[in-house]
Amino acid sequence: MQENNTLPITINKAETSRLDQVDFENLTFGNVFTDHMLTCDFVDGKWQTPVIKPYGPLTISPGARVFHYGQAIFEGMKAYRDEQDDVWLFRPEENFLRFNKSSKRLAIPELPRDVFFEGLLTLLRMDKNWVPKGYGNTLYIRPFVFGDQVGVSAAPSGTYKFMILLCPVKAYYAGDVKVLIAENYSRAANGGVGAAKAAGNYGAQFYPTSLAKEKGFDQIIWTDDCSHQYLEEAGTMNVFFRINDTLITAPTSDRILDGVTRKSVLALAEREGISTEVRKITVSELLEAAKNKSLKEIFGAGTAAVISPVSGFGYKDDFFELPSQEDSFAKRMKKSLLDIQYNISKDPFNWTLKV
């Protein structure tokens, strides 16, 4: 895919770069930011001219409605540097479409395409040197928008701020994870905002996840809000189950995020001749598959973690360790994805965009 720049953007460059102050070998995910950030305000019923300026704090009223009613959504993307020092984005169109889908669900004005793409590409070109080289190293991209009108009346904000931050990162998870199947908590409910990347979705996960961590688990596999019998997502990721040689993942819904990595895994699996099923899967089916040894793998799929294999899962008082697989679908999918993202192999899907 290609993008052409036509949008006026106000640019205020940083006087000096902080690049030489960063230890790229010891990065904590999401804690280090590049020299610049993008901001764009929604005022008087329209989005204004985007501004790129040095990264720094904001001045915002404590009465801003985002603090009181949670009108905030975000996206997660990455930029990848190949061996020729070119930088690539992966399926940014999907992120843009989902960004506006999330905005609409939270009564936030949709963002014009040129503001999103031209703002992002201009920012990336300015901070291109921050994109780390090396397989597994990336520049994490965080577009977000929040309501900043002052007032504590329960109504949508009349003004908004759109921003993009950039963070050089290494792997999100260092190794395999252990997960606990939720018995009482759900990530989202029917008719709710589970299909949106709403900030509140993630804040609500922290407490049940902390309870799981007290028991020695890394994350939760969420179950449905009514019966707690249908498996939905794993932590902040979509989740795949390999039973025999079939990959199974839950269908998207009001409760389940339409993940970009999820869709990519399904497309890659189909290309590689791996059987896939997009359908509901129950806790009892998973337990039976674990007991009869037909359950071969579980892995999470998401932008931050890419593919995160699960070493075992807990349910009630039982723990099921998963066997090591020589022909691991998780490893195959991760390699296929990363090879496209780092421009190592051809992109037959036209997923990548050169910055």
Side-chain angles (χ1 to χ4, degrees):
M1 59 182 297
Q2 294 181 341
E3 291 290 332
N4 298 313
N5 287 11
T6 59
L7 180 74
I9 299 175
T10 300
I11 296 176
N12 300 315
K13 291 193 69 174
E15 292 183 6
T16 58
S17 175
R18 294 176 284 104
L19 188 61
D20 59 0
Q21 302 171 23
V22 177
D23 180 0
F24 281 89
E25 296 304 315
N26 294 287
L27 292 169
T28 300
F29 195 101
N31 281 17
V32 175
F33 297 93
T34 65
D35 290 324
H36 299 92
M37 62 185 187
L38 179 140
T39 69
C40 185
D41 293 317
F42 183 86
V43 181
D44 297 329
K46 63 181 180 180
W47 288 101
Q48 307 298 307
T49 300
V51 177
I52 294 177
K53 59 185 179 181
Y55 175 84
L58 301 174
T59 299
I60 184 169
S61 168
R65 292 193 183 180
V66 64
F67 298 133
H68 306 277
Y69 303 109
Q71 256 191 306
I73 63 99
F74 68 94
E75 270 299 322
M77 309 167 64
K78 283 181 177 176
Y80 309 80
R81 185 181 296 278
D82 67 18
E83 289 299 318
Q84 291 73 47
D85 275 336
D86 291 321
V87 174
W88 300 84
L89 291 172
F90 181 73
R91 305 193 74 175
E93 181 74 21
E94 295 291 336
N95 294 102
F96 168 68
L97 293 174
R98 192 172 63 185
F99 191 88
N100 275 342
K101 180 181 177 181
S102 299
S103 293
K104 187 174 182 179
R105 180 61 183 83
L106 270 77
I108 297 171
E110 295 180 42
L111 196 72
R113 180 187 175 86
D114 56 356
V115 172
F116 186 91
F117 274 99
E118 295 182 31
L120 173 59
L121 291 172
T122 302
L123 179 63
L124 283 170
R125 287 164 185 154
M126 288 179 63
D127 283 353
K128 188 176 180 180
N129 290 338
W130 284 82
V131 184
K133 198 168 185 176
Y135 201 73
N137 298 328
T138 57
L139 188 73
Y140 185 75
I141 302 165
R142 173 50 61 89
F144 63 105
V145 62
F146 59 90
D148 61 355
Q149 181 182 1
V150 176
V152 295
S153 59
S157 179
T159 61
Y160 297 87
K161 187 176 291 291
F162 167 66
M163 299 187 66
I164 303 177
L165 307 179
L166 307 176
C167 315
V169 298
K170 299 179 79 68
Y172 194 78
Y173 293 116
D176 295 0
V177 297
K178 290 198 302 181
V179 297
L180 179 66
I181 295 177
E183 298 177 57
N184 301 306
Y185 295 100
S186 297
R187 176 183 174 274
N190 287 327
V193 294
K197 283 191 76 72
N201 288 347
Y202 297 81
Q205 294 184 26
F206 296 153
Y207 175 66
T209 302
S210 70
L211 297 180
K213 288 184 176 181
E214 288 175 5
K215 297 179 179 180
F217 294 92
D218 301 293
Q219 275 293 355
I220 289 176
I221 292 185
W222 303 101
T223 50
D224 69 286
D225 61 312
C226 295
S227 67
H228 293 289
Q229 285 303 306
Y230 292 99
L231 300 160
E232 301 204 320
E233 292 194 16
T236 58
M237 303 175 286
N238 295 112
V239 62
F240 285 82
F241 307 93
R242 177 186 175 184
I243 297 180
N244 291 317
D245 286 328
T246 298
L247 271 183
I248 303 168
T249 193
T252 56
S253 67
D254 285 346
R255 303 186 307 274
I256 299 176
L257 191 71
D258 189 10
V260 177
T261 308
R262 172 188 176 276
K263 287 192 280 196
S264 303
V265 167
L266 289 171
L268 287 167
E270 181 180 358
R271 186 190 68 165
E272 296 185 18
I274 295 173
S275 174
T276 61
E277 294 180 3
V278 178
R279 63 170 175 84
K280 292 183 177 181
I281 180 169
T282 63
V283 175
S284 58
E285 181 181 354
L286 186 71
L287 293 175
E288 179 59 29
K291 290 172 183 176
N292 67 28
K293 308 300 183 186
S294 61
L295 177 63
K296 307 300 183 184
E297 293 180 74
I298 303 174
F299 60 85
T303 297
V306 189
I307 301 291
S308 185
V310 171
S311 60
F313 71 92
Y315 182 66
K316 295 188 183 296
D317 295 325
D318 295 320
F319 180 76
F320 299 88
E321 191 168 346
L322 296 178
S324 177
Q325 298 293 327
E326 288 186 14
D327 181 26
S328 165
F329 285 4
K331 289 179 182 177
R332 284 174 63 182
M333 294 296 98
K334 186 171 185 177
K335 185 177 188 306
S336 295
L337 271 174
L338 291 177
D339 283 356
I340 291 174
Q341 290 166 341
Y342 286 94
N343 195 33
I344 293 171
S345 64
K346 290 183 179 179
D347 173 13
F349 304 98
N350 194 31
W351 281 341
T352 54
L353 172 65
K354 191 174 181 179
V355 174

